[in-house]
Amino acid sequence: MERRDKFSVLLPTYNEKDNLPIIVWLLLKAFTESGNDFEIIVIDDGSPDGTLDVAKQLQTNYGDKKIVLRPREKKLGLGTAYIHGIKHATGNFVVIMDADLSHHPKFIKEFIGKQKEKDYDLVSGTRYSGNGGVYGWDLKRKIISRGANYVTQVLLRPGASDLTGSFRLYKKEVLEKLVQSCKSKGYVFQMEMIIRARQFGFTIGEVPISFVDRVYGESKLGGNEIFQFAKGLLYLFATT
């Protein structure tokens, strides 16, 4: 009998107390409807707004098999959050996504379907092909995002249309290998994951998604992120 797939969702959180109950409810709904086995691993980085208390309440409501809490003392960055989360993941597939409602769990079913088509090593949600898109961004953010993506395409030819997106499905062992090989932090990290995947010869499928800008809280993209992105891009160009 073949082993039933299980999906571990890694949800790094920082000040997401308003969004967390909604995203968890949407995830439960999506997985229940598609009939897939799952767990949601909440990695809270010491949010001062009480996100962890909300997560504990959700765990009480839905059970500790479905809601797994793996908090850390302070903000240590996305890459290390994934490393931390993978250690506790019991699924053979891992979904990474944002907890701020910019990624809708309804697309996960499509990710899973896409993965099965050709046994892809990873499936990436893309805002830049098919009927994918971005909602709630001003023109400046759209230009920065498109521009960053375009420059990266030209320099690195990564074989994927959306490099800075953070809504993806990975085979667990593939994600482990990629995370260990990545040097970047922050905004560039997602891009490096795709570049390294191509280097290792991993196969990449894509699913068009609609990305909705944060409903609650502050967006994390500022001038410093753009500078870090440019720096990271040059680093990857020089080393890959």
Side-chain angles (χ1 to χ4, degrees), residues 4 10 26 31 44 51 54 70 93 118 125 151 158 169-170 172 177 179 187 227 237:
R4 188 162 171 239
L10 300 189
L26 287 168
F31 279 112
D44 186 62
T51 299
V54 171
R70 293 291 177 260
F93 285 97
K118 291 187 177 169
V151 171
L169 167 69
Y170 291 88
K172 186 182 174 187
K177 186 166 182 184
V179 167
Y187 193 56
F227 170 71
F237 185 57

Side-chain angles (χ1 to χ4, degrees), residues 40-230:
I40 301 166
I41 301 176
V42 180
I43 305 146
D44 186 62
D45 274 2
S47 298
D49 74 341
T51 299
L52 188 57
D53 294 330
V54 171
K56 284 175 181 166
Q57 185 57 52
L58 291 166
Q59 189 178 53
T60 303
N61 294 354
Y62 299 118
D64 58 8
K65 291 278 183 287
K66 293 297 177 217
I67 313 292
V68 180
L69 305 185
R70 293 291 177 260
R72 305 189 296 174
E73 292 299 305
K74 59 179 192 290
K75 217 167 174 201
L76 296 164
L78 202 53
T80 59
Y82 292 145
I83 291 170
H84 183 68
I86 294 167
K87 282 187 197 135
H88 304 284
T90 60
N92 56 328
F93 285 97
V94 177
V95 175
I96 62 166
M97 65 189 299
D98 294 342
D100 63 6
L101 300 179
S102 53
H103 299 142
H104 199 300
K106 68 182 178 186
F107 293 110
I108 292 174
K109 187 179 176 187
E110 292 179 42
F111 282 32
I112 294 170
K114 187 73 181 175
Q115 193 281 324
K116 286 194 170 26
E117 273 176 30
K118 291 187 177 169
D119 193 28
Y120 287 112
D121 293 312
L122 73 106
V123 174
S124 180
T126 176
R127 298 161 291 184
Y128 302 125
S129 80
N131 55 359
V134 173
Y135 302 91
W137 276 11
D138 59 14
L139 189 60
K140 181 180 149 208
R141 284 234 15 214
K142 282 187 176 170
I143 289 170
I144 289 168
S145 179
R146 279 272 184 186
N149 213 56
Y150 176 73
V151 171
T152 310
Q153 294 291 348
V154 171
L155 289 181
L156 301 174
R157 298 181 302 285
S161 64
D162 190 345
L163 301 169
T164 54
S166 49
F167 193 4
R168 295 178 186 157
L169 167 69
Y170 291 88
K171 289 180 177 173
K172 186 182 174 187
E173 67 274 14
V174 168
L175 181 59
E176 282 172 330
K177 186 166 182 184
L178 289 175
V179 167
Q180 278 155 9
S181 70
C182 281
K183 309 280 184 283
S184 315
K185 298 278 179 280
Y187 193 56
V188 187
F189 175 75
Q190 302 295 1
M191 180 171 77
E192 185 176 354
M193 295 277 279
I194 293 277
I195 306 301
R196 300 285 173 219
R198 191 199 62 180
Q199 276 188 321
F200 288 130
F202 291 137
T203 52
I204 304 171
E206 290 196 314
V207 169
I209 60 163
S210 47
F211 173 95
V212 181
D213 202 18
R214 316 182 42 94
V215 183
Y216 301 110
E218 287 300 307
S219 173
K220 317 252 184 358
L221 182 67
N224 184 43
E225 272 80 10
I226 295 161
F227 170 71
Q228 292 301 336
F229 175 79

